[in-house]
């Protein structure tokens, strides 16, 4: 496993010294790096993790740019920049919203849909490898835990008020 700087993380010692938040972050970073590399090593179209994040918000929908901005933890300016890059790669198209001419909506192109679905298949392969490594039962338990409503954001907001 690697840290953001690219230094190997000794999974047997360093990860055991981390708190839960840092462990989740390290594992997330590792999985994102693997999925991004898996795509970019097998495709002529480079797509960054942030671009995948936005594509996931668009897939099978036609959201407005403002609704994408509200649903991700990326600045409005950066969202516009990423959408422009995705449009330049012919993965998305931007058009006026039917209900509001000032608002722009985004949808995946046929190429964007094909890329997204191929990437989903690559992620499914990685999930299968993970299930093999940690065991099917533990994998399913992990998914169930992550799908639970932890309800801690509201509690934190209330505690800070």
């Amino acid at each position: 496993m690697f840290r953001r700087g690219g230094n190997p993380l000794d999974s047997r010692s360093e990860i055991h010294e981390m708190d839960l938040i840092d462990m989740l972050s390290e594992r997330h970073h590792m999985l994102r790096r693997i999925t991004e590399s898996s795509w970019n090593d097998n495709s002529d179209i480079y797509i960054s993790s942030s671009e995948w994040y936005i594509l996931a918000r668009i897939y099978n929908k036609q959201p407005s740019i403002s609704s994408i901005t509200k649903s991700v933890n990326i600045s409005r300016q950066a969202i516009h920049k990423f959408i422009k890059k995705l449009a330049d790669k012919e993965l998305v198209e931007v058009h006026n919203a039917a209900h509001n001419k000032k608002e722009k909506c985004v949808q995946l192109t046929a190429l964007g849909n094909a890329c997204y679905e191929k990437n989903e298949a690559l992620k499914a392969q990685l999930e299968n490898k993970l299930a093999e490594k940690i065991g099917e039962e533990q994998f399913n338990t992990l998914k169930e835990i992550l799908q639970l409503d932890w309800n801690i954001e509201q509690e934190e907001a209330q505690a800070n008020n």
Side-chain angles (χ1 to χ4, degrees):
M1 186 151 64
F2 291 86
R3 293 187 206 189
R4 282 172 194 32
N7 299 330
L9 174 67
D10 180 344
S11 62
R12 293 192 185 265
S13 63
E14 288 187 47
I15 198 137
H16 291 282
E17 296 171 10
M18 294 179 178
D19 60 38
L20 176 66
I21 307 301
D22 290 340
M23 280 190 278
L24 285 170
S25 180
E26 286 292 334
R27 295 300 190 184
H28 174 258
H29 180 70
M30 173 194 66
L31 293 170
R32 280 283 161 216
R33 182 184 51 78
I34 292 169
T35 57
E36 189 173 334
S37 294
S38 179
W39 171 265
N40 290 323
D41 291 347
N42 295 296
S43 176
D44 295 334
I45 302 171
Y46 173 83
I47 303 175
S48 71
S49 289
S50 296
E51 290 170 328
W52 283 120
Y53 189 50
I54 293 167
L55 289 173
R57 297 299 190 274
I58 300 169
Y59 182 70
N60 281 337
K61 300 178 194 105
Q62 292 185 34
S64 66
I65 293 175
S66 63
S67 70
I68 294 170
T69 302
K70 291 174 187 169
S71 72
V72 297
N73 197 15
I74 301 173
S75 72
R76 187 178 71 78
Q77 185 178 12
I79 294 290
H80 281 276
K81 190 175 174 180
F82 286 126
I83 290 173
K84 169 88 171 91
K85 285 181 180 181
L86 292 168
D88 290 346
K89 296 174 189 180
E90 300 180 355
L91 298 173
V92 302
E93 52 189 31
V94 180
H95 52 84
N96 289 332
H99 63 282
N100 181 346
K101 298 297 180 201
K102 291 182 181 179
E103 186 127 42
K104 301 286 186 191
C105 289
V106 187
Q107 71 182 53
L108 296 183
T109 62
L111 175 61
N113 274 311
C115 290
Y116 185 82
E117 289 167 2
K118 181 178 177 188
N119 191 55
E120 286 298 297
L122 291 171
K123 290 192 308 186
Q125 289 174 359
L126 180 57
E127 282 189 17
N128 289 336
K129 286 180 185 176
L130 181 58
E132 287 175 19
K133 287 283 187 190
I134 69 172
E136 193 75 33
E137 187 176 329
Q138 287 182 297
F139 176 80
N140 290 332
T141 300
L142 176 61
K143 280 182 70 170
E144 289 170 11
I145 291 168
L146 294 173
Q147 290 170 350
L148 290 173
D149 182 0
W150 295 0
N151 200 26
I152 56 178
E153 286 181 348
Q154 290 120 353
E155 289 176 9
E156 279 299 308
Q158 289 172 354
N160 292 328
N161 287 334

